[in-house]
Amino acid sequence: ERALFTLIMTENSTATELSYALLYGSLLGFAVVSWLLWKFVLSPPPPARVGTTSSSSSSGAVRVSTMDVKGIESSSAALDECANCGKGGNNSDFKLKKCNACYLVKYCNVECQKAHRPKHKKECRKRAAELKDIALFSEGHNHHLEDCPMCLMPMPIDGQQSMLYFCCMKNICTGCALKKRSVEHGSAQVDISKEACPFCRSKISKDQRKNIQIIQRRVDAGDPEAHVYLGDMYNEGKRGLPVDKTRAVKLWTEAARLGSVSAHFQLYEAYNLGRGVDRNMKLATHHAEMAAKGGHTIARQNLGSDEANHGNYKRALKHWMIAAKIGCHTSLANILDLYKYGDATKDDYADALTGFQKADEERTSPDRKSAVEMFKKMNRLMAGTVLSSGTVVKE
């Protein structure tokens, strides 16, 4: 720097020497400024530490300690260690298994898992409950029944507005079923011996033994809905079968194992009422939750009612919001009651009402309206009473 200053201040210095001196000075200044910026501004912070937290003295920041994080590799290696004995890692010859309740920690064997259980139990239960709620409220936002295979519209929520044909185990909306009868026979009311399935065109027999044989063949083939249907027949003693609630529960249990949402709901009612099995509310709640996650609106509505009965109105609102947006009128009415008593907001009810109206529009057609009117007339004739025109078919 002294030499540079002397060169610049010397009177005998040529223009070329001055140019080189200025260039050198500029480069030197740029280097110094760059080093200062990197040292005090752009340099990365020291490695963080993961574990227990402690508050800092002045800035209010949170400082973490107990485990160094040195990039992704060291972090993943720490996760791959047995939570009890510390064995494992990316270079281990054996595979660790996650805790299947919380998925937070891993163990090398069952003994380590049992030994670590007292320390891990509280955290495990808390995380397992969180995961359970996430699954419970994030799944089941669509109705569990498939679209009608004839009109390809969403199936009505009201079970009285659809018909299950055991020959192919297809649910057909009453609008399509009655329209098909009217087109082929000129009337919606025909002799069952003249009727064929709207979907597979199989003839419907009056001989119940033949019908049971058809259902049993589908059960033997592993059809979950056939299991549910045959279980319903044993539960109610229909189609010439004796009432056998124990066998009905066995059929529903197998259907639930095969993935039937309706079977989970039937098992919920069985364990809730002690029908064919000993009353078990824990199992009843489990099957109700499984049915709700599959899109069963009545199961979702009942879960909300159980939460409301225990004073958990926020959880009840979550259940009823889901059911109302699928098309459950009872849940919509319950949300209105919550709003009246201050346990739900106006926006909550408006959101539920908008979702309900959208779901109802998707399921409405002229044929289905005609079918509802026809069944209303039949109910008037059977009951011998005249219903008002504003009567709504119950869910």
Side-chain angles (χ1 to χ4, degrees):
E1 291 175 352
R2 288 182 179 178
L4 178 63
F5 179 76
T6 303
L7 181 62
I8 294 175
M9 297 301 295
T10 303
E11 295 181 359
N12 298 328
S13 300
T14 63
T16 304
E17 292 175 340
L18 289 175
S19 299
Y20 279 115
L22 291 174
L23 178 61
Y24 177 76
S26 300
L27 292 175
L28 181 62
F30 178 76
V32 172
V33 171
S34 299
W35 180 82
L36 291 173
L37 286 173
W38 173 256
K39 181 66 177 179
F40 298 103
V41 180
L42 301 178
S43 60
R49 301 178 71 85
V50 178
T52 58
T53 61
S54 60
S55 59
S56 62
S57 57
S58 58
S59 64
V62 175
R63 212 178 266 178
V64 252
S65 58
T66 69
M67 184 189 299
D68 289 332
V69 176
K70 299 178 180 179
I72 298 176
E73 294 182 359
S74 62
S75 177
S76 61
L79 292 176
D80 285 338
E81 292 179 356
C82 176
N84 183 58
C85 64
K87 294 180 180 179
N90 292 331
N91 299 324
S92 62
D93 296 331
F94 56 91
K95 187 176 181 180
L96 299 174
K97 294 184 178 180
K98 290 183 179 180
C99 173
N100 56 12
C102 65
Y103 301 98
L104 292 175
V105 295
K106 295 182 179 181
Y107 300 101
C108 55
N109 52 47
V110 178
E111 287 74 17
C112 281
Q113 185 174 9
K114 291 181 178 179
H116 191 250
R117 181 63 182 170
K119 299 179 181 179
H120 178 59
K121 180 169 62 175
K122 185 176 180 180
E123 181 186 14
C124 181
R125 287 180 176 177
K126 181 180 178 182
R127 181 55 181 166
E130 292 174 354
L131 293 175
K132 183 180 178 182
D133 274 0
I134 291 173
L136 181 60
F137 292 112
S138 64
E139 300 176 12
H141 290 250
N142 297 311
H143 195 238
H144 71 285
L145 293 180
E146 298 177 352
D147 296 346
C148 175
M150 303 295 293
C151 62
L152 302 180
M153 292 178 61
M155 196 64 67
I157 300 297
D158 183 6
Q160 297 179 357
Q161 296 183 30
S162 62
M163 303 172 67
L164 177 64
Y165 287 83
F166 60 84
C167 49
C168 56
M169 287 298 159
K170 292 292 185 181
N171 275 289
I172 311 293
C173 71
T174 52
C176 292
L178 298 184
K179 182 179 180 180
K180 177 255 180 187
R181 290 182 184 178
S182 300
V183 170
E184 294 186 355
H185 305 284
S187 173
Q189 299 180 7
V190 297
D191 186 0
I192 192 172
S193 62
K194 298 179 181 179
E195 187 181 2
C197 172
F199 185 75
C200 67
R201 313 301 297 168
S202 298
K203 292 292 182 180
I204 299 176
S205 174
K206 285 185 176 181
D207 190 347
Q208 297 297 348
R209 289 179 300 179
K210 291 183 179 179
N211 294 334
I212 292 297
Q213 290 175 0
I214 294 174
I215 299 170
Q216 187 62 52
R217 283 199 296 268
R218 297 194 68 87
V219 169
D220 296 337
D223 187 338
E225 299 309 319
H227 282 78
V228 177
Y229 188 86
L230 188 58
D232 293 343
M233 297 301 101
Y234 275 110
N235 181 58
E236 301 173 7
K238 292 184 177 181
R239 296 198 179 277
L241 294 175
V243 176
D244 190 344
K245 296 186 181 296
T246 302
R247 187 169 183 180
V249 170
K250 290 181 179 179
L251 287 165
W252 292 332
T253 302
E254 178 62 18
R257 188 189 68 82
L258 294 171
S260 172
V261 175
S262 300
H264 280 293
F265 180 75
Q266 294 288 34
L267 289 171
Y268 153 68
E269 289 196 325
Y271 284 107
N272 185 39
L273 303 174
R275 190 179 61 194
V277 289
D278 294 333
R279 195 163 184 262
N280 189 325
M281 294 308 299
K282 185 176 181 180
L283 282 175
T285 302
H286 166 71
H287 287 292
E289 290 175 349
M290 293 298 294
K293 287 193 291 185
H296 203 289
T297 54
I298 302 178
R300 181 72 71 175
Q301 155 64 27
N302 290 353
L303 285 174
S305 298
D306 290 341
E307 295 289 356
N309 291 336
H310 289 86
N312 302 323
Y313 298 114
K314 290 184 178 181
R315 291 177 62 86
L317 177 62
K318 289 183 179 181
H319 284 299
W320 289 337
M321 287 288 288
I322 295 173
K325 290 181 179 181
I326 297 176
C328 181
H329 185 272
T330 305
S331 294
L332 181 65
N334 290 338
I335 295 173
L336 179 59
D337 290 337
L338 289 180
Y339 169 59
K340 290 179 180 178
Y341 290 101
D343 294 307
T345 65
K346 185 177 180 180
D347 292 337
D348 291 332
Y349 180 68
D351 188 21
L353 180 60
T354 302
F356 174 82
Q357 291 173 340
K358 181 180 178 181
D360 187 59
E361 290 175 359
E362 292 176 349
R363 291 177 168 85
T364 303
S365 70
D367 292 332
R368 292 182 179 182
K369 288 182 177 179
S370 299
V372 170
E373 292 300 324
M374 194 200 77
F375 279 111
K376 284 183 180 180
K377 293 180 182 178
M378 292 175 61
N379 290 334
R380 294 191 191 104
L381 294 174
M382 293 176 64
T385 58
V386 179
L387 303 179
S388 62
S389 59
T391 302
V392 179
V393 177
K394 291 184 179 181
E395 293 179 349

